[in-house]
């Protein structure tokens, strides 16, 4: 289940709105309190992480997605499916962007300025509260495929551990992580380009060998050999492009099946 959700501004970590409707049992209260501490640590380093991440502990797991100016975090039970958590975040992200543009977000000076958005957070949390009935109402195939092709970056507790003077970081020299390039199976336009490249490679090779052969019989024309070599090199360049496309396609298929 989703225990807690909060939205931060990326460049300074200002909380914009948080879910106030959560279970107040003793165990859940401890989880939410501890998770809130981790979200505050994460919000100070949002620009150093990719746009989809997860941080797991023994008590809970934090999933978050990041846009250029806002970050959407959810604190879930460890057994809650990741695909549902990211569907939850995607849904609140779409609604938030519709209601608040970048200029409005940047103009905020006080925390929790968009508290009225809490109503939508509560309603969406209730919708995602029962995974068994929810999976029959949602089309999860797109998000499942997205997570397979580009799984979330796993943030460790050590990455955001407090050291001294309030909030600091144990490993301040950790390089910035950039999102990996998404590989997807080739489209029909891609395959047309592959066929055209193969045709060009065959034509260039044929023409190059013909020019070299003509130069062999015409000894007075020494430039024929160089012209033939140029055509052969162009053929090799086309074949290299075909090889690279095929390699990316096979890699994308392998990731999709893993």
């Amino acid at each position: 289940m989703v225990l807690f959700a909060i939205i931060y501004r990326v460049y300074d970590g200002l909380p914009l709105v948080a879910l106030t409707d959560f279970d107040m049992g003793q165990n859940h209260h401890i989880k939410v309190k501890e998770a809130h501490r981790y979200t505050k640590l994460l919000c100070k380093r949002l620009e150093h992480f990719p746009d989809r991440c997860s941080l797991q502990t023994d008590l809970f797991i934090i999933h978050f997605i990041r846009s250029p100016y806002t970050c959407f975090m959810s604190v879930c039970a460890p057994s809650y499916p990741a695909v549902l958590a990211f569907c939850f975040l995607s849904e609140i992200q779409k609604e938030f962007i519709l209601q608040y543009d970048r200029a409005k977000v940047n103009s905020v000076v006080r925390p929790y300025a968009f508290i009225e958005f809490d109503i939508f957070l509560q309603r969406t949390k209730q919708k995602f509260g029962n995974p068994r009935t929810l999976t029959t109402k949602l089309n999860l195939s797109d998000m499942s495929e997205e997570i397979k092709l580009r799984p979330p970056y796993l943030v460790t507790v050590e990455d955001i551990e407090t050291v001294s003077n309030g909030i600091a970081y144990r490993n301040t020299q950790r390089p910035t992580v950039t999102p990996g390039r998404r590989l997807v199976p080739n489209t029909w336009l891609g395959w047309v380009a592959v066929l055209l490249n193969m045709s060009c490679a065959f034509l260039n090779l044929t023409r190059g060998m013909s020019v070299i052969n003509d130069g062999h019989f015409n000894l007075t024309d020494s430039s024929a050999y160089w012209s033939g070599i140029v055509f052969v090199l162009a053929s090799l360049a086309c074949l290299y492009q075909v090889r690279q496309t095929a390699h990316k396609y096979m890699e994308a298929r392998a990731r999709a099946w893993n």
Side-chain angles (χ1 to χ4, degrees), residues 7-109:
I7 302 174
Y8 286 103
R9 189 164 59 189
V10 170
Y11 75 85
D12 61 354
L14 182 74
L16 302 174
V17 59
L19 184 66
T20 58
D21 180 25
F22 51 83
D23 297 322
M24 291 304 294
Q26 183 176 2
N27 291 335
H28 285 157
H29 181 71
I30 294 174
K31 290 180 181 179
V32 170
K33 186 176 180 180
E34 182 69 8
H36 194 210
R37 184 176 73 88
Y38 279 112
T39 63
K40 287 193 290 186
L41 293 175
L42 282 169
C43 78
K44 301 300 182 181
R45 299 201 74 192
L46 291 175
E47 294 180 338
H48 295 267
F49 294 120
D51 59 353
R52 182 187 294 126
C53 298
S54 298
L55 184 151
Q56 184 163 8
T57 69
D58 295 333
L59 298 177
F60 52 82
I61 181 167
I62 299 175
H63 301 286
F64 65 92
I65 57 177
R66 180 177 60 83
S67 70
Y69 58 96
T70 49
C71 179
F72 304 83
M73 293 189 185
S74 67
V75 179
C76 306
S79 59
Y80 194 73
V83 63
L84 289 181
F86 284 111
C87 282
F88 167 79
L89 292 173
S90 179
E91 189 160 328
I92 64 175
Q93 180 187 36
K94 291 176 182 177
E95 183 64 24
F96 187 86
I97 292 175
L98 286 176
Q99 295 190 27
Y100 311 101
D101 58 16
R102 185 167 192 166
K104 195 168 185 178
V105 171
N106 289 340
S107 65
V108 170
V109 295

Side-chain angles (χ1 to χ4, degrees), residues 204-223:
N204 284 328
L205 182 62
T206 303
R207 191 171 182 182
M209 297 305 296
S210 176
V211 170
I212 292 175
N213 187 54
D214 291 342
H216 177 71
F217 290 103
N218 187 8
L219 299 178
T220 60
D221 188 6
S222 60
S223 64

Side-chain angles (χ1 to χ4, degrees), residues 68-235:
Y69 58 96
T70 49
C71 179
F72 304 83
M73 293 189 185
S74 67
V75 179
C76 306
S79 59
Y80 194 73
V83 63
L84 289 181
F86 284 111
C87 282
F88 167 79
L89 292 173
S90 179
E91 189 160 328
I92 64 175
Q93 180 187 36
K94 291 176 182 177
E95 183 64 24
F96 187 86
I97 292 175
L98 286 176
Q99 295 190 27
Y100 311 101
D101 58 16
R102 185 167 192 166
K104 195 168 185 178
V105 171
N106 289 340
S107 65
V108 170
V109 295
R110 60 183 178 85
Y112 304 104
F114 302 141
I115 191 63
E116 67 276 4
F117 192 76
D118 174 64
I119 298 175
F120 181 81
L121 290 179
Q122 294 179 23
R123 187 165 63 246
T124 309
K125 181 200 169 188
Q126 293 174 359
K127 175 182 174 182
F128 282 81
N130 192 339
R132 293 183 180 179
T133 59
L134 184 63
T135 52
T136 61
K137 299 178 182 179
L138 291 177
N139 183 9
L140 303 179
S141 59
D142 291 343
M143 183 59 70
S144 298
E145 186 70 15
E146 177 74 15
I147 291 178
K148 285 182 181 179
L149 292 174
R150 194 166 58 89
Y153 176 77
L154 298 180
V155 181
T156 64
V157 175
E158 288 76 13
D159 291 335
I160 57 170
E161 195 69 36
T162 55
V163 181
S164 62
N165 297 326
I167 298 176
Y169 307 101
R170 178 175 298 177
N171 186 5
T172 58
Q173 300 301 318
R174 180 184 177 91
T176 300
V177 181
T178 55
R181 182 174 56 185
R182 179 182 175 182
L183 297 176
V184 297
N186 225 350
T187 61
W188 69 271
L189 285 175
W191 287 118
V192 170
V194 170
L195 291 175
L196 290 176
N197 262 327
M198 293 178 66
S199 301
C200 291
F202 175 75
L203 292 174
N204 284 328
L205 182 62
T206 303
R207 191 171 182 182
M209 297 305 296
S210 176
V211 170
I212 292 175
N213 187 54
D214 291 342
H216 177 71
F217 290 103
N218 187 8
L219 299 178
T220 60
D221 188 6
S222 60
S223 64
Y225 286 105
W226 293 110
S227 299
I229 291 174
V230 170
F231 282 116
V232 172
L233 291 176
S235 174

